[in-house]
């Protein structure tokens, strides 16, 4: 038996649901890449990226996914052999560091925990011990999509300054930009990077970086620079150079439509919506956890992020049949557990183009699966989510 017919609901943390207006915006013929509307489109998108990153620094758009934007961030400010410090709190900063190693950086990991956020005190202590200033950059993800943690980027910036250290702060905002506050300038971030396919509701294929004046200074001395990623090359007047070649036109039309949606709702309202739908999800997981088979990956409630909830199963409980049931019998695709959690849980994304029926429907389907499979759980998780939203969204 199956009740999966109808539109499949993608509840994985990227790519996320693409709004119909964003999909429709791509259905257009190609246009001239040297003049006309494409040039104005680029100028508008670069300016709007500044608004979303909350920076007066320059922004850059690449035909690339998040891994490409990682490489763009690194190569523009580093030289081969320079030391970078990776702040562990899941999987993604580690993977960014692995990329840095292949580019010739000397990578050190500040060890963390798959269940905790980065501790700014540990960073401050490590930087104070670096009396010779060998560490040139610090790499951290604002939200780690594998562990479901949110890191306090403001406190991390303050820790660098408290240590009196001049390492650049490089932040991965792939799973947080456009979903929760990010204040590039106010928090002292030097390079921020993101991709199009998560909170920004656009198909995969666009990567972004933003650079502070300090990052631009380092850039002048960096020797990891390559033609494709290079900021200086992209800063010229020639439109074709801004993409180091042919612009990914249809993706840019899509991004324009997605930004229009975000600004029409208002960034603050977008953040509040994410916060409420994430909290509704957490209310459900708290109840399910009463069965002692499932629980949150992130131990501290205030370290759980607002875009994805990582749920872990107790030893001996296999979560894969639940994920399969939700997909095959109900048409809801949950995120598989990643990294250290591989095979040991699932992730519920609440990121980007999501509303109450999408999240409540997903929670109800998970609860249906828990019942159908006889996995011990507290009853009434989705009812708890409904009660929370009914109180938070008054008539
Ligand atoms: C998805 C993700 C990435 C990788 O992006 P790709 O487009 O898959 O290369 C990097 N960092 C974070 C935090 C992510 O969630």
């Amino acid at each position: 038996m199956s009740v999966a017919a109808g539109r499949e609901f993608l509840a994985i943390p990227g790519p996320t649901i693409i709004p119909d207006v964003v999909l429709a915006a791509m259905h257009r013929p190609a246009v001239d890449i040297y003049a006309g509307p494409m040039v104005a489109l680029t100028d508008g998108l670069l300016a709007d990226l500044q608004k979303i990153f909350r920076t007066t620094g320059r922004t850059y758009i690449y035909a690339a996914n998040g891994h490409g934007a990682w490489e763009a961030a690194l190569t523009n400010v580093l030289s081969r052999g320079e030391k970078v410090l990776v702040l562990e709190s899941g999987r993604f900063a580690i993977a960014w560091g692995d990329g840095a190693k292949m580019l010739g950086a000397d990578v050190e990991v500040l060890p963390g925990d798959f269940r905790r956020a980065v501790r700014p005190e540990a960073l401050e202590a490590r930087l104070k011990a670096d009396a010779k200033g060998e560490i040139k950059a610090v790499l951290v993800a604002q939200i780690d999509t594998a562990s479901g943690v949110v890191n306090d980027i403001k406190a991390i910036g303050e820790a660098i300054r408290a240590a009196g250290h001049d390492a650049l702060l490089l932040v991965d905002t792939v799973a947080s930009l456009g979903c929760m506050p990010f204040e590039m300038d106010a928090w002292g971030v030097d390079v921020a990077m993101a991709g199009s396919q998560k909170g920004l509701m656009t198909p995969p294929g666009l990567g972004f970086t933003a650079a502070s004046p300090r990052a631009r200074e380092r850039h002048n001395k960096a020797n990891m620079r390559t033609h494709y990623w290079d900021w200086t090359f992209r800063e010229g007047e020639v439109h074709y150079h801004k993409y180091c070649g042919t612009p990914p036109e249809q993706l840019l039309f899509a991004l324009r439509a997605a930004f229009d949606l975000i600004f029409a709702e208002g960034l603050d309202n977008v953040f509040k919506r994410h916060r409420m739908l994430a909290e509704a999800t957490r209310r459900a997981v708290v109840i399910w956890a009463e069965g002692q088979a499932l629980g949150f990956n992130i131990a501290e409630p205030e370290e759980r992020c607002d875009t994805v909830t990582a749920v872990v199963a107790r030893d001996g409980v296999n979560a894969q049949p639940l994920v399969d049931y939700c997909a095959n019998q109900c048409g809801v695709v949950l995120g598989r557990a990643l990294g250290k959690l591989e095979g040991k849980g699932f992730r519920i994304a609440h990121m980007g183009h999501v509303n109450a029926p999408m999240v409540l429907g997903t929670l109800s389907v998970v609860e249906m699966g828990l019942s159908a499979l006889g996995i011990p759980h507290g009853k009434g998780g989705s009812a708890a989510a409904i009660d929370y939203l009914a109180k938070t969204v008054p008539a």
Side-chain angles (χ1 to χ4, degrees):
M1 291 300 296
S2 165
V3 287
R7 185 179 284 205
E8 181 176 82
F9 183 69
L10 191 63
I12 67 173
T16 61
I17 299 277
I18 302 168
D20 292 347
V21 288
V22 173
L23 278 177
M26 293 193 293
H27 201 112
R28 282 181 57 180
V31 298
D32 187 5
I33 56 178
Y34 298 104
M38 186 45 77
V39 176
L41 175 66
T42 296
D43 292 342
L45 291 174
L46 291 173
D48 284 345
L49 274 170
Q50 289 179 309
K51 287 185 201 154
I52 295 177
F53 278 121
R54 302 272 296 161
T55 185
T56 56
R58 279 200 183 243
T59 51
Y60 309 85
I61 302 174
Y62 299 91
N65 61 14
H67 281 67
W70 272 347
E71 199 158 314
L74 296 166
T75 54
N76 271 295
V77 297
L78 290 173
S79 291
R80 281 179 285 281
E82 284 184 343
K83 179 169 243 172
V84 304
L85 184 66
V86 170
L87 310 185
E88 183 182 22
S89 66
R91 182 172 182 265
F92 284 89
I94 298 285
W96 194 5
D98 290 343
K101 222 176 282 170
M102 283 194 78
L103 289 164
D106 172 14
V107 176
E108 176 181 326
V109 174
L110 184 74
D113 188 309
F114 207 81
R115 308 198 61 187
R116 288 295 310 269
V118 169
R119 285 171 308 117
E121 322 79 76
L123 171 62
E124 188 179 332
R126 177 63 191 92
L127 291 178
K128 278 183 173 156
D130 181 37
K132 289 199 227 133
E134 286 174 347
I135 297 169
K136 299 300 178 198
V138 170
L139 271 48
V140 64
Q142 185 177 25
I143 285 179
D144 187 290
T145 329
S147 66
V149 84
V150 58
N151 286 310
D152 186 343
I153 302 301
K154 178 167 185 265
I156 287 168
E158 284 164 358
I160 296 174
R161 289 186 291 281
H165 202 287
D166 74 348
L168 296 179
L169 176 56
L170 276 55
V171 181
D172 173 337
T173 68
V174 177
S176 52
L177 194 70
C179 303
M180 64 168 288
F182 177 75
E183 294 283 343
M184 174 155 168
D185 291 356
W187 295 348
V189 174
D190 294 296
V191 184
M193 54 72 58
S196 51
Q197 79 276 22
K198 300 201 180 170
L200 301 180
M201 308 179 289
T202 300
L206 295 177
F208 314 108
T209 58
S212 74
R214 245 159 56 91
R216 288 293 287 101
E217 263 169 47
R218 290 284 183 90
H219 171 79
N220 294 330
K221 299 181 294 196
N223 78 13
M224 248 187 223
R225 287 163 58 176
T226 66
H227 184 54
Y228 184 70
W229 304 119
D230 196 63
W231 288 337
T232 299
F233 183 72
R234 287 164 178 259
E235 283 167 11
E237 281 311 305
V238 185
H239 184 257
Y240 187 70
H241 291 180
K242 292 190 192 301
Y243 298 93
C244 195
T246 305
E249 295 189 332
Q250 278 70 16
L251 287 174
L252 299 171
F253 297 143
L255 187 67
R256 180 68 266 154
F259 281 179
D260 289 345
L261 277 182
I262 288 174
F263 291 125
E265 184 177 356
L267 264 179
D268 285 340
N269 292 327
V270 173
F271 300 159
K272 276 186 207 147
R273 171 169 55 81
H274 278 83
R275 174 132 279 237
M276 289 188 289
L277 295 173
E279 184 57 26
T281 306
R282 293 187 283 258
R283 297 287 173 113
V285 176
V286 164
I287 301 292
W288 297 335
E290 290 169 1
Q292 304 204 345
L294 301 173
F296 290 100
N297 177 54
I298 297 302
E300 296 293 329
E302 64 277 15
E303 295 178 358
R304 294 173 190 148
C305 75
D306 285 340
T307 57
V308 58
T309 298
V311 178
V312 278
R314 167 168 55 71
D315 279 348
V317 177
N318 184 359
Q320 194 55 42
L322 177 69
V323 174
D324 294 342
Y325 179 91
C326 291
N328 302 334
Q329 262 114 309
C330 306
V332 171
V333 182
L334 298 173
R336 295 180 315 137
L338 287 185
K340 290 184 181 156
L341 298 181
E342 188 106 39
K344 293 185 187 145
F346 58 91
R347 294 175 299 156
I348 303 171
H350 25 79
M351 185 191 297
H353 193 56
V354 284
N355 62 15
M358 291 165 169
V359 170
L360 292 174
T362 299
L363 297 174
S364 297
V365 161
V366 171
E367 196 155 336
M368 176 179 162
L370 291 170
S371 291
L373 291 159
I375 298 172
H377 63 285
K379 293 279 177 198
S382 20
I386 291 168
D387 287 347
Y388 162 77
L389 284 178
K391 282 199 199 88
T392 316
V393 184

